[in-house]
Amino acid sequence: MSFILDHLDEIEATVPGLAGRLDRERVAVAGHSLGGHTAAMLLGTGTTDPADGSPVRLPDARIKAGVIIGAPGLADEQVNQAMLERYPVMGHTDFSTMTTPALVVAGDRDFNPMFSDRLSYRWDAYTAAPAPKTLLMLHDAEHLFGGISGYDAAETSDENPARVAVLRAMIWAYLRSQLYPTDPTWDRAVAAFDSGSVESK
């Protein structure tokens, strides 16, 4: 991801119609599941290299805000040990260094004992990180939030196009207001939101 930002000039010059449309002062990152873990790392989350115990931090100061959707959480006593054996880096996540503003999206039915026996595992990026953070909780949402994996994808267990539309609108409103601080879109979106709850710190 940082490589892409390093080469924006080349990308802008290569893609037809893109010239003059990139604002390098308003960069955001968003990711779902392990993509959410990637986003969290770019926003400042730390970990430890399980091979040699060295600290790993890859924050990119060019990123001004982020969205973390259903990402892996902390490895506490309720985490699935078999998962940690397969993905040992998941055992060292440290959200305490994630200082960039972020919207953490969670579903109140996003529970998978293959990862953790704790329902709140998927919103640790909110509870364990310092402010400013916002938690967007969607009621009845499972891990794919109604089908965010893509158009005409069949793997979701909670198919709900309306939920996907709400999530898209809320994410857009959050990023709009983070990147343009005087924009009231997020406040208006929160006032109209009736599919879950929103809390901030």
Side-chain angles (χ1 to χ4, degrees), residues 26-27 33 42 47 62 88 111 133 140 146 179-180 195:
R26 292 186 172 97
V27 178
S33 198
L42 290 163
T47 189
R62 294 169 292 186
F111 173 73
K133 299 293 179 292
D140 298 322
L179 298 177
Y180 297 86
S195 303

Side-chain angles (χ1 to χ4, degrees), residues 68 95 98 102-106 120-137 198-201:
I68 301 166
F95 292 116
M98 187 175 68
L103 175 68
V104 178
V105 180
S120 60
Y121 174 76
R122 293 291 184 181
W123 58 89
D124 283 345
Y126 173 75
T127 55
K133 299 293 179 292
T134 297
L135 176 64
L136 175 68
M137 181 70 66
V198 178
E199 65 178 86
S200 297
K201 63 179 182 179

